[in-house]
Amino acid sequence: MVINVIGYPNKKTIPTPPSKVIHDGYTGRGMTLENDLNISNTYYLETNRALIYKKPTPIQVVKVDYPSRNAAKIVEAYYKVPSTTDYNGIYRGKPIDFEAKETKSKTSFPFKSIHPHQIDHLKRVALHKGIGFFIIRFTSYEETYLLDASSIITLYEQGNKKSIAYQRVKEIGLLIPQGLTPRLRYLDIVDTLYFKEEVK
Amino acid sequence: MVINVIGYPNKKTIPTPPSKVIHDGYTGRGMTLENDLNISNTYYLETNRALIYKKPTPIQVVKVDYPSRNAAKIVEAYYKVPSTTDYNGIYRGKPIDFEAKETKSKTSFPFKSIHPHQIDHLKRVALHKGIGFFIIRFTSYEETYLLDASSIITLYEQGNKKSIAYQRVKEIGLLIPQGLTPRLRYLDIVDTLYFKEEVK
């Protein structure tokens, strides 16, 4: 039995899958930023330090097959453009919201990997007094930076630049310490940036 | 070209699709709770009252087809059991997290529609000082209640009951006013329950 769940058979713009999806399950050296964050978030969760999750990738389901009574097999679906950021949760009673991106470039971080929706979303996070930021990794240097959302939004909206220079990221961002557990100690940077009073 | 993205060809337990997925896009009378919440959340978003989203349904992608260079068609995927609640966001600077369920029963709300993961998740929300609750609709009465997570967790964990009686829901929950915009004024109930000082 094939059920046409949602009637979008002739969807015109089909977003390409996020490259990270293809890297799912990859292990070993050169671990993706997504994997590092998932492992770190699990550690933070288990040690009760924070409650931060990656949201599922939004997928538009078109057709579902029911090969047996209790089984549902999706046989036609498409990746959707995300309307929000990938990660959110709670830390020290505050809402946390961020987007994580990696680039192979040695010289700059390209803005084209940020969706306009995500910029709008992070503006709203600020409006509602949440903590919003970007985590950007330069894979060539194995360096990962945390940058407050407002600084990226300002640069993004100037409109005359297509990227942020690596040097500029180093100036306005803070390098995230890397270790074994958690792999990315990004909450230490969040403490420095947003909870100075609490961690004195 | 078919790429086996994640090697789960023989997945043993295939969760059935959430019934709400089949109702996606349904309009008119008898609107689903999910649709009512989405419309209300859009209204709250546009009026800058809150930033609350439904998370995408988690889907395990197994095979992706590339019919052309920039198109990705998912041809094999399965619904996953959600590890968290469906809705979260920010209201009055606080983290908000809730699960929404509807039942056709006239006498009780069955616990089997709540996943154990979701109970664990809402306990963590409380631990990290977020605001967690359930929104439960009795479709027979067209009544929708908001119940603090702690009261449901206590009843759920007693273990000797498989459901909460409708009368009990009326006692421990608060009826959400329904209107045109927003359809479900659930933030008014959130104000009453969690922001007494602020809305005096």
Side-chain angles (χ1 to χ4, degrees):
Chain A
M1 182 171 63
V2 174
I3 292 175
N4 195 327
V5 177
I6 300 157
Y8 287 174
N10 299 313
K11 212 159 173 290
K12 287 294 184 298
T13 51
I14 300 167
T16 49
S19 65
K20 59 200 166 196
V21 169
I22 291 164
H23 293 131
D24 256 13
Y26 180 76
T27 52
R29 282 175 66 86
M31 185 79 92
T32 62
L33 178 55
E34 178 177 339
N35 267 318
D36 280 357
L37 283 169
N38 288 347
I39 291 168
S40 303
N41 287 338
T42 300
Y43 174 83
Y44 285 142
L45 182 97
E46 286 172 354
T47 55
N48 287 334
R49 180 145 177 216
L51 180 63
I52 297 166
Y53 278 95
K54 182 181 182 297
K55 290 176 212 165
T57 305
I59 288 173
Q60 177 79 56
V61 174
V62 177
K63 272 186 199 159
V64 181
D65 232 356
Y66 292 90
S68 74
R69 218 179 158 176
N70 290 312
K73 182 180 173 183
I74 298 161
V75 294
E76 187 181 353
Y78 301 94
Y79 291 101
K80 288 201 287 189
V81 173
S83 54
T84 65
T85 48
D86 271 358
Y87 298 87
N88 75 356
I90 313 176
Y91 181 52
R92 294 181 183 271
K94 295 283 182 190
I96 293 280
D97 198 294
F98 65 97
E99 184 60 28
K101 298 283 183 195
E102 54 189 348
T103 180
K104 286 177 187 168
S105 166
K106 289 182 180 172
T107 54
S108 65
F109 171 74
F111 281 144
K112 68 172 195 287
S113 64
I114 302 175
H115 296 288
H117 286 139
Q118 295 176 326
I119 293 289
D120 292 343
H121 176 73
L122 283 165
K123 280 183 180 176
R124 290 198 174 103
V125 168
L127 178 75
H128 292 284
K129 302 190 181 75
I131 292 169
F133 50 87
F134 284 87
I135 289 180
I136 293 176
R137 172 175 288 178
F138 286 85
T139 56
S140 306
Y141 305 116
E142 293 194 26
E143 289 172 359
T144 312
Y145 294 88
L146 191 149
L147 301 94
D148 183 59
S150 64
S151 59
I152 298 278
I153 292 168
T154 304
L155 291 166
Y156 183 93
E157 296 201 323
Q158 282 176 356
N160 56 351
K161 283 193 181 160
K162 290 182 174 173
S163 61
I164 316 175
Y166 167 65
Q167 284 305 327
R168 194 92 183 88
V169 170
K170 281 173 86 91
E171 284 162 26
I172 60 176
L174 285 171
L175 185 67
I176 298 174
Q178 305 196 39
L180 210 59
T181 45
R183 211 172 280 266
L184 279 175
R185 310 178 67 85
Y186 72 92
L187 288 182
D188 295 357
I189 301 297
V190 171
D191 279 342
T192 306
L193 273 178
Y194 306 102
F195 294 97
K196 269 181 197 144
E197 288 305 311
E198 287 83 343
V199 295
K200 249 176 194 169
Chain B
M1 179 171 68
V2 174
I3 291 175
N4 195 326
V5 177
I6 300 157
Y8 287 174
N10 299 313
K11 213 162 172 287
K12 287 296 185 297
T13 52
I14 300 167
T16 49
S19 65
K20 59 200 167 197
V21 170
I22 290 163
H23 294 132
D24 256 12
Y26 179 74
T27 53
R29 284 174 65 84
M31 186 80 93
T32 62
L33 177 57
E34 178 177 338
N35 268 317
D36 280 356
L37 283 169
N38 288 346
I39 291 168
S40 302
N41 287 339
T42 301
Y43 174 84
Y44 285 143
L45 181 97
E46 287 172 354
T47 56
N48 287 333
R49 180 142 177 218
L51 181 63
I52 297 166
Y53 278 95
K54 182 180 182 296
K55 290 177 212 164
T57 305
I59 288 172
Q60 176 79 57
V61 174
V62 177
K63 271 185 201 160
V64 180
D65 234 357
Y66 292 89
S68 73
R69 218 178 159 179
N70 291 314
K73 181 181 173 182
I74 297 161
V75 294
E76 186 181 352
Y78 301 94
Y79 291 101
K80 288 200 287 187
V81 173
S83 54
T84 66
T85 48
D86 270 358
Y87 298 87
N88 75 355
I90 312 176
Y91 181 51
R92 294 181 182 271
K94 295 283 181 190
I96 293 280
D97 199 295
F98 65 96
E99 184 60 28
K101 297 285 184 194
E102 52 190 349
T103 180
K104 287 177 188 167
S105 166
K106 289 181 181 174
T107 54
S108 65
F109 170 75
F111 281 143
K112 68 171 194 290
S113 63
I114 303 175
H115 297 289
H117 286 139
Q118 295 177 325
I119 293 289
D120 292 343
H121 177 73
L122 283 166
K123 281 184 180 175
R124 290 199 174 102
V125 168
L127 178 75
H128 292 284
K129 301 192 183 72
I131 292 170
F133 51 87
F134 282 88
I135 288 180
I136 294 177
R137 172 175 289 178
F138 285 86
T139 56
S140 307
Y141 305 116
E142 293 195 25
E143 289 173 359
T144 311
Y145 294 88
L146 192 149
L147 302 94
D148 183 60
S150 64
S151 58
I152 298 277
I153 292 169
T154 304
L155 291 166
Y156 183 94
E157 296 201 322
Q158 281 175 356
N160 55 351
K161 283 192 181 161
K162 289 181 176 174
S163 61
I164 315 175
Y166 168 64
Q167 284 305 328
R168 195 90 185 88
V169 170
K170 280 173 87 91
E171 284 162 25
I172 60 175
L174 285 171
L175 184 67
I176 298 174
Q178 306 197 38
L180 211 60
T181 44
R183 212 172 278 269
L184 279 175
R185 309 177 68 85
Y186 72 92
L187 288 182
D188 295 358
I189 301 297
V190 171
D191 280 342
T192 306
L193 273 178
Y194 306 102
F195 294 98
K196 269 181 198 143
E197 288 305 309
E198 285 84 343
V199 293
K200 251 179 193 167

